[in-house]
Amino acid sequence: MVDLQLRELTHAFGTEITGLDPAAALHDPAVQRELQRLFDSRGVLVFRDIDIDQNQQADIIRMLIGLGPLAPGESPIGKADGESFYVSNKEANGGAPFGRLLFHADMMWSEHTFRVLSLYGIAVEQPATPTIFTSATHAWATMPDDLRAEAGGLSAVQGHEEMSRAAEDPDVLVSTFHDLPTRTTPVGLTHPRTGDTVLYVSQQMTQAIDSLPADESEALLLRLFDHLYRDEVLYSHDWREHDLVAWDNIAVQHARPNVALEGPTRTLRKVFAPVPPKSAKPTRPTFATAG
Ligand SMILES: [Fe+2]
């Protein structure tokens, strides 16, 4: 019998877990099975007050999707040994250092998209900008019948980034990449591990519905976004230090309100799995805001 303290974050997805001993997550098969079951059924797991280093963070999230621990000396993020990746408004070379982020799943444009993504609170001053989540699996399951019938057989072109949807908000972060491919995927994507159907379009990365004229494509996407991002289905995570949030990057999308460079420190350590091959990784983008 595994005794974890659980709390549902929304009725549809997300579970908070307190009192977890990282050693149990790393070594106890019964705890691991329970965490894997929760991850697949709930999409987002929030661990509070967990003290872990980068490699432990990697091994825990790898375990959630059935991958074994890192090999000795293997980088959890595909960089030189000992390097970390921070989403931060203070660290040099921090990712997404400022601005608001529209909803997306990382690397939707790549077959090597992360299957699990995680952030860990390293340095968090209050009030810290939250990370906001929505379940694209729940969105598919609850789509109005007429919308599902209309969108179900269609495909979408995923790329980076569709900034026309940010035009009215000068805070939105624009990350400019120079070497990104696009990928066409079913609007109702079958999740490779759970078999669930995922509404696989996002505000930030879906460029168009394949096969529709531009105006019809955008109109249909906006209706899908209205359903995916309606307020009552969102979970907003308020960061504290020593929070680990791990989520299914195919089933769940994330976003955030504005982060200011001069605002409270917000440094989150980002670890993902599996690590994409070098050839699939974009170079570092340049950052600006839409305004
Ligand atoms: Fe992201």
Side-chain angles (χ1 to χ4, degrees):
M1 182 67 192
V2 177
D3 187 21
L4 298 174
Q5 297 162 51
L6 307 179
R7 182 174 72 89
E8 291 197 347
L9 298 170
T10 74
H11 83 274
F13 75 100
T15 294
E16 180 187 77
I17 300 169
T18 43
L20 176 71
D21 175 0
L26 293 169
H27 303 296
D28 183 330
V31 170
Q32 293 180 338
R33 278 194 299 275
E34 177 63 0
L35 293 173
Q36 287 164 349
R37 186 191 68 76
L38 285 167
F39 188 70
D40 280 349
S41 61
R42 302 295 294 168
V44 179
L45 299 183
V46 170
F47 302 89
R48 295 284 199 181
D49 303 314
I50 183 170
D51 191 5
I52 47 172
D53 63 23
Q54 178 170 245
N55 280 39
Q56 290 170 318
Q57 182 177 348
D59 285 347
I60 288 172
I61 68 163
R62 292 171 63 88
M63 175 276 294
L64 292 175
I65 56 168
L67 296 177
L70 294 166
E74 184 183 359
S75 164
I77 51 171
K79 288 191 173 187
D81 198 22
E83 275 194 68
S84 297
F85 183 84
Y86 296 112
V87 172
S88 175
N89 59 348
K90 303 295 179 191
E91 289 286 322
N93 291 323
F98 53 86
R100 175 186 156 215
L101 295 176
L102 301 179
F103 275 103
H104 66 282
D106 281 27
M107 292 178 74
M108 285 178 83
W109 40 265
S110 168
E111 285 167 39
H112 300 284
T113 183
F114 312 135
R115 284 184 272 149
V116 54
L117 187 48
S118 70
L119 293 171
Y120 178 73
I122 295 284
V124 179
E125 288 175 358
Q126 303 299 337
T129 296
T131 301
I132 302 174
F133 297 93
T134 192
S135 167
T137 322
H138 181 67
W140 181 267
T142 56
M143 236 166 36
D145 288 344
D146 59 333
L147 192 55
R148 189 188 290 106
E150 196 176 331
L154 299 174
S155 296
V157 181
Q158 318 291 357
H160 210 284
E161 315 197 322
E162 195 41 67
M163 296 321 297
S164 60
R165 298 186 192 118
E168 287 167 26
D169 184 346
D171 288 337
V172 168
L173 177 65
V174 181
S175 308
T176 304
F177 294 87
H178 300 286
D179 50 359
L180 288 189
T182 59
R183 178 171 73 130
T184 301
T185 51
V187 171
L189 181 80
T190 302
H191 191 291
R193 191 177 60 261
T194 66
D196 292 336
T197 305
V198 180
L199 177 51
Y200 207 62
V201 293
S202 81
Q203 221 175 14
Q204 190 196 61
M205 292 192 179
T206 301
Q207 296 184 335
I209 300 288
D210 209 18
S211 78
L212 289 185
D215 54 342
E216 287 178 38
S217 161
E218 193 62 16
L220 177 56
L221 284 170
L222 292 179
R223 285 165 63 208
L224 294 170
F225 298 154
D226 281 347
H227 177 67
L228 252 171
Y229 308 134
R230 61 199 197 283
D231 283 345
E232 63 267 30
V233 294
L234 304 180
Y235 166 62
S236 178
H237 181 73
D238 290 318
W239 285 101
R240 301 190 314 216
E241 289 180 7
H242 300 135
D243 282 351
L244 170 65
V245 183
W247 68 93
D248 183 322
N249 183 54
I250 296 172
V252 170
Q253 294 180 24
H254 57 290
R256 75 171 192 216
N258 192 38
V259 165
L261 278 179
E262 65 279 12
T265 299
R266 184 181 189 274
T267 296
L268 309 172
R269 186 175 60 208
K270 177 171 171 173
V271 177
F272 40 78
V275 175
K278 274 210 164 48
S279 60
K281 279 204 309 193
T283 52
R284 182 175 167 81
T286 54
F287 296 114
T289 50

